[in-house]
Protein backbone atom coordinates (compact mmCIF):
# COMPACT_ATOMS: atom_id res chain seq x y z
CA UNK A 1 0.00 0.00 0.00
CA UNK A 2 1.24 3.49 -0.90
CA UNK A 3 0.33 6.78 0.73
CA UNK A 4 1.19 10.26 -0.53
CA UNK A 5 1.57 12.99 2.10
CA UNK A 6 1.12 16.46 0.61
CA UNK A 7 2.13 19.57 2.54
CA UNK A 8 1.18 22.95 1.12
CA UNK A 9 2.49 26.50 1.37
CA UNK A 10 4.73 27.60 4.23
CA UNK A 11 4.99 24.14 5.72
CA UNK A 12 8.63 24.13 4.51
CA UNK A 13 9.09 26.82 7.20
CA UNK A 14 8.19 24.47 10.06
CA UNK A 15 10.58 24.94 12.95
CA UNK A 16 11.01 28.63 12.18
CA UNK A 17 7.42 29.59 11.49
CA UNK A 18 5.31 30.77 14.45
CA UNK A 19 6.75 28.06 16.74
CA UNK A 20 4.18 28.87 19.41
CA UNK A 21 1.53 27.59 16.99
CA UNK A 22 3.36 25.04 14.84
CA UNK A 23 6.12 23.80 17.16
CA UNK A 24 9.89 23.65 16.74
CA UNK A 25 10.24 20.56 14.62
CA UNK A 26 11.03 20.87 10.91
CA UNK A 27 9.44 19.52 7.74
CA UNK A 28 12.29 16.98 7.53
CA UNK A 29 11.35 15.78 11.01
CA UNK A 30 7.72 15.50 9.89
CA UNK A 31 8.67 13.56 6.76
CA UNK A 32 10.81 11.13 8.74
CA UNK A 33 8.01 10.72 11.27
CA UNK A 34 5.50 9.91 8.51
CA UNK A 35 7.81 7.35 6.85
CA UNK A 36 8.37 5.56 10.14
CA UNK A 37 4.67 5.53 11.02
CA UNK A 38 3.97 4.16 7.53
CA UNK A 39 6.65 1.51 7.84
CA UNK A 40 5.27 0.28 11.16
CA UNK A 41 1.73 0.21 9.79
CA UNK A 42 2.77 -1.54 6.56
CA UNK A 43 2.58 1.32 4.05
CA UNK A 44 5.15 3.03 1.86
CA UNK A 45 4.87 6.77 2.47
CA UNK A 46 6.10 9.39 0.00
CA UNK A 47 5.91 13.07 0.85
CA UNK A 48 5.91 16.27 -1.16
CA UNK A 49 5.73 19.93 -0.22
CA UNK A 50 4.94 22.85 -2.48
CA UNK A 51 4.21 26.53 -2.07
CA UNK A 52 2.40 26.54 -5.43
CA UNK A 53 -1.25 25.68 -5.97
CA UNK A 54 -0.69 24.32 -9.51
CA UNK A 55 2.10 22.04 -8.32
CA UNK A 56 -0.12 20.63 -5.59
CA UNK A 57 -2.81 19.98 -8.20
CA UNK A 58 -0.21 18.24 -10.45
CA UNK A 59 0.87 16.05 -7.52
CA UNK A 60 -2.74 15.05 -6.84
CA UNK A 61 -3.38 14.26 -10.52
CA UNK A 62 -0.13 12.25 -10.74
CA UNK A 63 -1.21 10.23 -7.71
CA UNK A 64 -3.94 8.57 -9.77
CA UNK A 65 -3.34 4.80 -10.02
CA UNK A 66 -0.06 5.23 -8.08
CA UNK A 67 -1.27 5.86 -4.51
CA UNK A 68 -3.95 4.22 -2.39
CA UNK A 69 -4.35 7.11 0.01
CA UNK A 70 -3.58 10.81 0.36
CA UNK A 71 -2.86 12.78 3.53
CA UNK A 72 -3.08 16.49 2.80
CA UNK A 73 -2.31 19.62 4.75
CA UNK A 74 -2.99 22.26 2.14
CA UNK A 75 -1.88 25.11 4.42
CA UNK A 76 -3.57 28.39 3.54
CA UNK A 77 -4.98 26.90 0.31
CA UNK A 78 -7.28 24.88 2.55
CA UNK A 79 -9.42 27.96 2.95
CA UNK A 80 -9.29 29.24 -0.65
CA UNK A 81 -8.72 26.55 -3.24
CA UNK A 82 -11.67 25.19 -5.20
CA UNK A 83 -9.11 23.77 -7.65
CA UNK A 84 -7.37 21.57 -5.07
CA UNK A 85 -10.81 20.31 -4.02
CA UNK A 86 -11.63 19.57 -7.68
CA UNK A 87 -8.33 17.69 -8.17
CA UNK A 88 -9.06 15.50 -5.13
CA UNK A 89 -12.55 14.78 -6.45
CA UNK A 90 -11.14 14.01 -9.90
CA UNK A 91 -8.72 11.30 -8.69
CA UNK A 92 -11.14 9.99 -6.03
CA UNK A 93 -8.36 8.56 -3.84
CA UNK A 94 -9.28 8.13 -0.13
CA UNK A 95 -8.08 11.32 1.53
CA UNK A 96 -7.53 12.53 5.08
CA UNK A 97 -7.13 16.25 5.76
CA UNK A 98 -4.71 17.21 8.52
CA UNK A 99 -3.89 20.50 10.25
CA UNK A 100 -1.18 20.87 12.86
CA UNK A 101 -3.04 23.64 14.67
CA UNK A 102 -6.64 23.74 15.83
CA UNK A 103 -8.07 25.77 12.96
CA UNK A 104 -11.48 25.92 14.66
CA UNK A 105 -9.99 27.90 17.55
CA UNK A 106 -8.15 30.48 15.44
CA UNK A 107 -9.22 33.28 13.10
CA UNK A 108 -12.70 33.09 11.57
CA UNK A 109 -11.31 32.64 8.02
CA UNK A 110 -9.59 29.38 9.02
CA UNK A 111 -12.88 27.73 10.01
CA UNK A 112 -13.95 26.96 6.46
CA UNK A 113 -12.11 24.29 4.46
CA UNK A 114 -12.70 23.42 0.81
CA UNK A 115 -10.70 20.21 1.39
CA UNK A 116 -13.22 19.06 4.02
CA UNK A 117 -15.89 18.94 1.32
CA UNK A 118 -14.07 15.87 -0.05
CA UNK A 119 -11.85 14.45 2.71
CA UNK A 120 -13.38 11.45 4.49
CA UNK A 121 -11.67 12.36 7.74
CA UNK A 122 -10.36 15.65 9.14
CA UNK A 123 -7.81 15.77 11.97
CA UNK A 124 -6.96 19.13 13.53
CA UNK A 125 -4.88 20.43 16.40
CA UNK A 126 -2.85 17.28 17.12
CA UNK A 127 0.51 18.35 15.65
CA UNK A 128 2.57 15.57 14.04
CA UNK A 129 0.37 12.98 15.76
CA UNK A 130 -2.47 13.98 13.40
CA UNK A 131 -0.43 12.70 10.46
CA UNK A 132 0.13 9.39 12.26
CA UNK A 133 -3.61 9.04 12.85
CA UNK A 134 -4.28 9.85 9.21
CA UNK A 135 -1.77 7.27 7.92
CA UNK A 136 -3.06 4.60 10.30
CA UNK A 137 -6.66 5.34 9.31
CA UNK A 138 -5.84 4.93 5.60
CA UNK A 139 -3.92 1.68 6.21
CA UNK A 140 -6.81 0.24 8.27
CA UNK A 141 -9.28 1.20 5.58
CA UNK A 142 -7.11 -0.37 2.84
CA UNK A 143 -6.81 -3.64 4.78
CA UNK A 144 -10.60 -3.98 5.18
C1 LIG B 1 -2.44 24.85 8.82
C2 LIG B 1 -3.55 25.84 9.20
C3 LIG B 1 -3.80 26.81 8.06
O1 LIG B 1 -4.83 27.71 8.41
C4 LIG B 1 -2.54 27.61 7.80
O2 LIG B 1 -2.75 28.49 6.72
C5 LIG B 1 -1.37 26.75 7.57
C6 LIG B 1 -1.17 25.58 8.43
C7 LIG B 1 -2.10 23.90 9.99
O3 LIG B 1 -1.43 22.90 9.74
O4 LIG B 1 -2.48 24.15 11.14
O5 LIG B 1 -0.50 27.03 6.74
O6 LIG B 1 -2.88 24.06 7.74
Amino acid sequence: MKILVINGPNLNMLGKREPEIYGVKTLDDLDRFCYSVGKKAGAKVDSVQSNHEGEIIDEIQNALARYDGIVINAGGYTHTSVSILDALKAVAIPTVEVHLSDVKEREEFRKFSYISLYAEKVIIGKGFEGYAEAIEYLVDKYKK
Side-chain angles (χ1 to χ4, degrees):
M1 184 208 182
K2 287 185 72 183
I3 294 174
L4 180 63
V5 175
I6 302 175
N7 282 301
N10 299 306
L11 290 159
N12 56 318
M13 298 292 286
L14 281 180
K16 293 196 183 84
R17 170 191 192 199
E18 300 179 272
E20 65 291 355
I21 298 176
Y22 298 112
V24 294
K25 289 190 183 159
T26 65
L27 180 61
D28 268 357
D29 295 332
L30 177 58
D31 286 343
R32 276 195 293 269
F33 176 74
C34 289
Y35 305 145
S36 78
V37 169
K39 202 168 174 193
K40 260 185 231 145
K44 163 111 173 47
V45 172
D46 291 330
S47 65
V48 291
Q49 186 276 332
S50 176
N51 292 325
H52 305 279
E53 187 174 21
E55 275 179 20
I56 295 168
I57 292 162
D58 288 344
E59 291 292 348
I60 294 167
Q61 290 183 3
N62 289 335
L64 187 60
R66 293 178 52 223
Y67 289 94
D68 309 296
I70 291 176
V71 175
I72 185 164
N73 180 351
Y77 287 138
T78 302
H79 319 294
T80 63
S81 182
V82 174
S83 300
I84 293 177
L85 167 65
D86 285 345
L88 290 168
K89 283 177 151 177
V91 298
I93 297 169
T95 295
V96 179
E97 173 182 2
V98 172
H99 298 284
L100 294 159
S101 67
D102 186 350
V103 282
K104 301 285 179 214
E105 295 296 327
R106 298 180 61 192
E107 302 95 324
E108 206 51 36
F109 65 83
R110 293 187 206 275
K111 290 187 179 149
F112 176 77
S113 163
Y114 281 100
I115 312 300
S116 295
L117 301 177
Y118 174 73
E120 56 187 70
K121 190 171 169 69
V122 182
I123 302 168
I124 61 171
K126 295 187 175 174
F128 282 17
E129 207 43 50
Y131 288 74
E133 257 185 49
I135 291 165
E136 283 158 5
Y137 169 86
L138 288 168
V139 173
D140 281 354
K141 181 183 162 133
Y142 184 80
K143 282 186 185 155
K144 273 179 198 155

